[in-house]
Amino acid sequence: MVEEAENAAQGQSGGISIVLVDDHAVVRGALRVLLDGEDDFDVVAEAGDAEAGLRSVGGHKPDVLVLDLNLPGISGLAAIPMIKERSPKTGIVVLTMRDELAFVREALQAGVQGYILKEAAQEDLVQAVRLAAAGRRYVQPALGARMASEPQAGMLDGLSKRETEVLRLIALGFTNQEIGDQLHLSIRTIESHRANIQSKLDLTARSDLVRYAIDHHLFETGP
């Protein structure tokens, strides 16, 4: 797999530019030391929150963004669509403590190239960055094995687990702001989920969404 990562990165001109976003300065420092140890890596900026990270990505247009999910203010997960909009060619590698498969799947669905737990950064981060720079995907092997062995709960007509949660709250009459507050997501992210739900189900009226939720017993479980 290491050889595959090295081959995937071949043909790129110059080094791989990287932006780090993590709210702990000590962690950023350790990551910089690890990444700067590679001759073809160039850490061009660091940020401690998503808003500063967005500015750095917009200014540098890096090849790869290494992103934590637990950030003050806008969460890393909520920031992913904004990052992709601001710099579509930047590959995103999530480096986090969150090992729940729901987070892994949602991050991958949002378009990240890599997902790694911080405990495995020493072994996997360099490889993930190389693959992301080449437009390839890398999920920490232990997480990938769990994803393969554990079926995804809450799938209805192609809806992700998060979209199913949003659909249930929509059907219960909550506003986008209230849904965002409950799920700790931005209004923009809820609007995106709502648009995806309507597109996948080919339903636009709230009454139709309520009927769908009733038919699929979504009111029988908590949010």
Side-chain angles (χ1 to χ4, degrees), residues 57-213:
V57 167
H60 292 278
K61 297 293 194 296
D63 296 309
V64 178
L65 169 67
V66 177
L67 177 70
D68 191 10
L69 293 185
N70 293 332
L71 297 171
I74 303 171
S75 72
L77 200 56
I80 291 170
M82 293 180 275
I83 293 164
K84 301 296 288 184
E85 179 180 353
R86 190 160 301 190
S87 185
K89 294 183 179 181
T90 294
I92 302 174
V93 174
V94 167
L95 183 64
T96 182
M97 298 291 291
R98 305 304 299 263
D99 65 350
E100 301 95 326
L101 293 187
F103 283 94
V104 182
R105 291 188 171 110
E106 188 163 354
L108 293 173
Q109 288 168 359
V112 306
Q113 273 67 49
Y115 197 105
I116 301 169
L117 298 181
K118 288 183 176 180
E119 64 192 38
Q122 188 76 27
E123 295 79 16
D124 294 327
L125 183 57
V126 168
Q127 185 175 351
V129 168
R130 290 193 190 284
L131 287 171
R136 304 284 296 279
R137 177 172 286 183
Y138 183 90
V139 176
Q140 184 178 329
L143 291 174
R146 283 178 55 200
M147 290 176 69
S149 64
E150 297 179 23
Q152 183 170 355
M155 291 294 289
L156 295 170
D157 294 330
L159 298 184
S160 68
K161 182 177 180 180
R162 180 68 78 188
E163 288 167 349
T164 303
E165 292 173 335
V166 171
L167 171 59
R168 179 180 181 275
L169 293 173
I170 290 172
L172 285 170
F174 290 100
T175 65
N176 287 349
Q177 179 67 65
E178 291 168 338
I179 296 171
D181 290 343
Q182 287 203 35
L183 301 181
H184 307 292
L185 298 172
S186 69
I187 292 179
R188 180 181 296 186
T189 299
I190 299 302
E191 290 172 346
S192 176
H193 283 317
R194 188 168 192 148
N196 289 338
I197 292 166
Q198 292 172 334
S199 175
K200 290 179 180 180
L201 300 183
D202 194 23
L203 300 172
T204 55
R206 181 176 172 275
S207 58
D208 292 333
L209 294 174
V210 171
R211 173 52 57 188
Y212 182 93

Side-chain angles (χ1 to χ4, degrees), residues 4-12 16 40 130-131 133-134:
E4 178 187 354
E6 292 173 349
N7 290 338
Q10 287 179 354
Q12 296 184 47
I16 297 172
D40 58 335
R130 290 193 190 284
L131 287 171

